[in-house]
Amino acid sequence: RSRAEQKKVKRAKAAPDIATSPTSQLRRLCLRSELRHSALKRHGMVGNSCCRLCAVAFVLLMSLHHRATLVHGSSSTNNDDDGSDGLVGVDANGVLHLDAPGNGAVLLNGLDCKAETLALRAQNATLTAQVEALRAEIEVLKAGTNALQTNVTTMTATVAALQAQSQADRLWLCSQSDPQALHTLTHDSFAYSLVVQNNRLFVASYGAVFVWDLLAQPEPLVVETLGGPHAGKPVRGLAIEGDRLYTGTSVGDVVIWNLTSSPTTVLHTLSDHSHTVESIAVQGDRLFSASYDNTIRMWDLTASPPSVLHTLSGHTAGVEALVVDGDLLYSGSWDSTIRVWDVSQSTATPTLVHTLTQHGEIVRALAVRGRHLFSGSADNSIIVWDLSQSPPTVLHTLATSHSHDVWAFAIKGDRLYSGSTGNTIAVWNLAVSPPQLIKTLSGHTDNVWGLAVQGDILYSVSVDKTVKIWDMLFC
């Protein structure tokens, strides 16, 4: 062969096959893409994402074609490009830019995609403008948020100032007022304890629990007397939870009453203690009873009749007071101690975790508010315990106005009421530290053994055989 023919053969071998060349593939892809795009558009199924994806794919394939052309040293016979490919780039805002060659046409084997490219550019420009508008709106919202936060801070400070002023005004009104008993309800015998629920007052006395209707006019009226198992026995412990009333007697019984029946009926009488049941506490489906037999019983209220789950032993004298708070039970005793028990549901057997010995006499009253435990004693003192410490530590010992045993507590909001065997009721302000005595109520002529509070009304029961109802609106 001549030298010219040999060169022709070499070029033929080096040139890509027409059927598989990038040019042929791109032509088929472009035509197929246009047909699919038209079909999708007719059915309303084409969107900006599809257009954008097609355009990007097109530009990438154009680049591949141009690279193939450079490798082989020439374009295919069907390529109408002038050799200057368009450029693709992404700016700082993430917007795609297509720069067409020459006269602005984007060609692929003679097919002009300029219209699609211009549409894509217009869409990108619109999206860029929308992004900038959203950024501007975000800045406006940030400024508004900062202004709102400033307003909230100002309003919070204003509310705090108003609350402080309200507290000061209330204290002043209390100091200037002289709370008087709205009513004095009389009994034929000693009244030991009381509880209030809605418009009914339950008073434990000798041989019965008396139920008072607080809405009766012109004054509360006894509407029911719960005797039965209490006949001939002093009723000491008293608690109410939902539609059940729980009473403890001097012979060691715990009586459960159904308040939904009319008249009120006895559901169960639990006889396990060997001495007076002085205090009762209820938590969910568990009942705790404290007795002068030196023990505390934990009862399962889901059983019928309720059964003893555990007997808590540890006190060396009669147990006088109980209060349950979460997983802890606090008990006060004639042995002058407060014992702290872990009674969590996850504990198989309740355990004694702390013994507090700061009182020098019988611990008669207990109450919990937040992280503070209040204990009242026959040593005439009230101790405030810090429950955030383990064991609890003495936070304050209040200099009381009581000259005798502190026998009863009631708490409502930032007020603590304490009753004593000195016939008086002290009113304490818990909003300050240490709590301050702001009022002493006089009216009973004998020991104040029980207190209850509901709303602005305080109820007190005394050995003088009366129940007094006090209006504490200003205290």
Side-chain angles (χ1 to χ4, degrees):
R1 296 179 182 176
S2 65
R3 184 172 297 175
E5 289 176 342
Q6 291 176 0
K7 289 182 178 180
K8 186 175 181 180
V9 170
K10 288 182 179 180
R11 284 198 300 271
K13 289 181 178 181
D17 183 70
I18 294 300
T20 60
S21 68
T23 302
S24 299
Q25 294 178 24
L26 291 172
R27 176 183 287 114
R28 288 197 301 273
L29 178 62
C30 185
L31 291 174
R32 191 182 301 116
S33 176
E34 287 185 353
L35 290 173
R36 291 177 178 175
H37 185 275
S38 299
L40 290 171
K41 191 171 183 180
R42 285 196 306 271
H43 292 284
M45 298 172 62
V46 66
N48 293 336
S49 300
C50 180
C51 295
R52 196 172 297 114
L53 181 60
C54 290
V56 172
F58 163 72
V59 173
L60 292 176
L61 292 173
M62 281 289 292
S63 298
L64 291 173
H65 167 60
H66 180 54
R67 187 176 300 171
T69 302
L70 293 177
V71 169
H72 294 296
S74 63
S75 61
S76 66
T77 57
N78 292 326
N79 188 1
D80 295 328
D81 268 349
D82 60 3
S84 58
D85 288 307
L87 302 177
V88 60
V90 180
D91 64 15
N93 294 320
V95 179
L96 178 68
H97 293 278
L98 300 174
D99 296 321
N103 61 2
V106 179
L107 302 177
L108 182 60
N109 288 344
L111 296 176
D112 186 358
C113 297
K114 177 181 178 182
E116 286 80 358
T117 303
L118 292 177
L120 180 60
R121 288 176 177 171
Q123 292 172 2
N124 286 336
T126 301
L127 289 173
T128 301
Q130 292 175 350
V131 168
E132 293 302 321
L134 287 173
R135 287 176 177 169
E137 291 180 9
I138 289 172
E139 293 302 320
V140 172
L141 289 173
K142 286 182 178 177
T145 300
N146 292 334
L148 285 174
Q149 288 176 341
T150 302
N151 290 339
V152 168
T153 301
T154 302
M155 292 177 65
T156 300
T158 302
V159 169
L162 289 173
Q163 288 176 338
Q165 184 60 46
S166 174
Q167 177 69 13
D169 292 343
R170 185 182 174 196
L171 289 175
W172 181 85
L173 286 171
C174 185
S175 66
Q176 299 300 309
S177 66
D178 184 18
Q180 299 293 320
L182 296 174
H183 303 285
T184 298
L185 314 178
T186 59
H187 290 80
D188 294 331
S189 184
F190 295 161
Y192 299 101
S193 57
L194 76 170
V195 292
V196 61
Q197 184 188 67
N198 300 327
N199 300 314
R200 291 186 295 178
L201 179 67
F202 301 83
V203 180
S205 184
Y206 185 86
V209 174
F210 295 93
V211 184
W212 295 81
D213 178 2
L214 298 175
L215 296 182
Q217 295 296 329
E219 64 178 17
L221 179 69
V222 173
V223 292
E224 193 170 8
T225 301
L226 308 181
H230 298 321
K233 311 178 189 72
V235 182
R236 304 298 294 264
L238 196 60
I240 194 167
E241 184 71 20
D243 58 5
R244 298 290 185 266
L245 177 70
Y246 304 88
T247 57
T249 72
S250 60
V251 296
D253 292 336
V254 176
V255 182
I256 304 177
W257 302 79
N258 179 12
L259 298 178
T260 61
S261 62
S262 183
T264 302
T265 56
V266 174
L267 286 175
H268 306 288
T269 299
L270 313 178
S271 301
D272 202 69
H273 286 291
S274 60
H275 210 312
T276 302
V277 175
E278 186 68 18
S279 184
I280 296 173
V282 182
Q283 184 191 58
D285 57 8
R286 298 184 299 176
L287 169 72
F288 301 89
S289 56
S291 171
Y292 283 172
D293 64 9
N294 305 354
T295 68
I296 302 166
R297 297 287 198 276
M298 180 192 295
W299 303 81
D300 179 10
L301 294 179
T302 63
S304 183
S307 57
V308 175
L309 290 172
H310 303 287
T311 297
L312 284 62
S313 301
H315 284 293
T316 58
V319 186
E320 182 82 13
L322 282 182
V323 62
V324 61
D325 180 50
D327 292 335
L328 297 177
L329 176 72
Y330 303 89
S331 58
S333 168
W334 281 63
D335 63 14
S336 306
T337 69
I338 300 169
R339 297 185 187 251
V340 185
W341 310 82
D342 180 359
V343 293
S344 57
Q345 296 280 8
S346 59
T347 303
T349 302
T351 55
L352 177 65
V353 291
H354 302 299
T355 299
L356 312 180
T357 60
Q358 276 72 6
H359 281 296
E361 294 287 346
I362 304 167
V363 179
R364 294 195 179 278
L366 295 172
V368 173
R369 177 181 182 265
R371 300 309 301 157
H372 294 153
L373 170 69
F374 300 86
S375 59
S377 171
D379 62 12
N380 306 347
S381 72
I382 297 174
I383 293 180
V384 184
W385 302 83
D386 183 359
L387 297 181
S388 65
Q389 304 298 314
S390 183
T393 57
V394 174
L395 194 61
H396 306 293
T397 299
L398 304 185
T400 76
S401 64
H402 299 306
S403 57
H404 298 80
D405 301 18
V406 179
W407 201 290
F409 285 143
I411 294 180
K412 176 64 168 34
D414 56 9
R415 292 293 182 266
L416 169 69
Y417 304 94
S418 59
S420 83
T421 54
N423 312 341
T424 61
I425 302 167
V427 184
W428 302 86
N429 179 18
L430 301 181
V432 295
S433 184
Q436 295 179 351
L437 177 67
I438 56 178
K439 206 72 179 176
T440 299
L441 307 181
S442 301
H444 285 292
T445 59
D446 211 327
N447 304 339
V448 178
W449 276 3
L451 294 173
V453 63
Q454 186 178 60
D456 296 322
I457 304 299
L458 175 68
Y459 304 87
S460 60
V461 65
S462 170
V463 180
D464 64 11
K465 302 181 183 180
T466 68
V467 173
K468 289 189 179 293
I469 301 176
W470 309 81
D471 183 0
M472 305 303 296
L473 176 61
F474 298 115
C475 281

